[in-house]
Amino acid sequence: MVPSPSPQVNPIGKLRSLLFAASVRPDLVAKMPRTGTDGIVIDNEDATPADKKSAGRIQAMGQAANFAADESMTAQVFVRVNAVASEWFEDDIRVGLHPSLAGVVVPKVETLDHMEAIGTALIAAGLEHLGVF
């Protein structure tokens, strides 16, 4: 029996600059590609208030889809999710990530168990190809 190949993980290219904007501020996110930044981070963590996390996930998904459809887009696009230990992490991974992203930014990774939880959540969401930053 021939083993199936491992999924290819998106390589994260050279990043000289990263620009962050809150997922719930689509006006700011839409302007980010014009800045010349190497990486865009749609932030659903600290920049998004607790009562807007659900709306932020939906916004992040839509914004990433718009960027993926833009053939002139040169910046790598990431979504910053909430910490593994937070109540929002699982939904952030399951609902808020578009498959075209360069990767996911996960804050406050403190243990190997956190890394395993990130990998498990990405696999469960069918997003194991995303880089982790």
Side-chain angles (χ1 to χ4, degrees):
M1 184 164 146
V2 177
S4 61
S6 298
Q8 188 67 22
V9 174
N10 288 353
I12 296 174
K14 181 192 267 187
L15 296 169
R16 294 170 296 173
S17 60
L18 287 173
L19 188 59
F20 288 70
S23 60
V24 293
R25 290 292 311 271
D27 57 321
L28 296 179
V29 174
K31 294 177 185 178
M32 290 198 296
R34 295 183 288 209
T35 66
T37 187
D38 294 323
I40 290 172
V41 181
I42 304 168
D43 192 347
N44 207 39
E45 195 220 7
D46 288 343
T48 301
D51 63 337
K52 293 189 166 85
K53 297 289 188 188
S54 182
R57 286 184 205 105
I58 294 165
Q59 289 281 358
M61 175 68 84
Q63 292 156 345
N66 289 340
F67 289 148
D70 182 351
E71 293 180 16
S72 68
M73 184 73 168
T74 59
Q76 296 178 74
V77 181
F78 302 86
V79 169
R80 183 179 182 199
V81 298
N82 287 276
V84 173
S86 76
E87 64 189 89
W88 302 291
F89 173 76
E90 294 282 334
D91 287 338
D92 284 354
I93 298 291
R94 189 175 48 77
V95 180
L97 301 180
H98 192 272
S100 70
L101 293 168
V104 58
V105 178
V106 185
K108 303 171 186 103
V109 177
E110 299 171 352
T111 66
L112 287 175
D113 288 342
H114 285 176
M115 287 301 297
E116 288 180 16
I118 294 164
T120 299
L122 288 171
I123 290 167
L127 298 168
E128 60 271 10
H129 65 281
L130 296 183
V132 177
F133 188 36

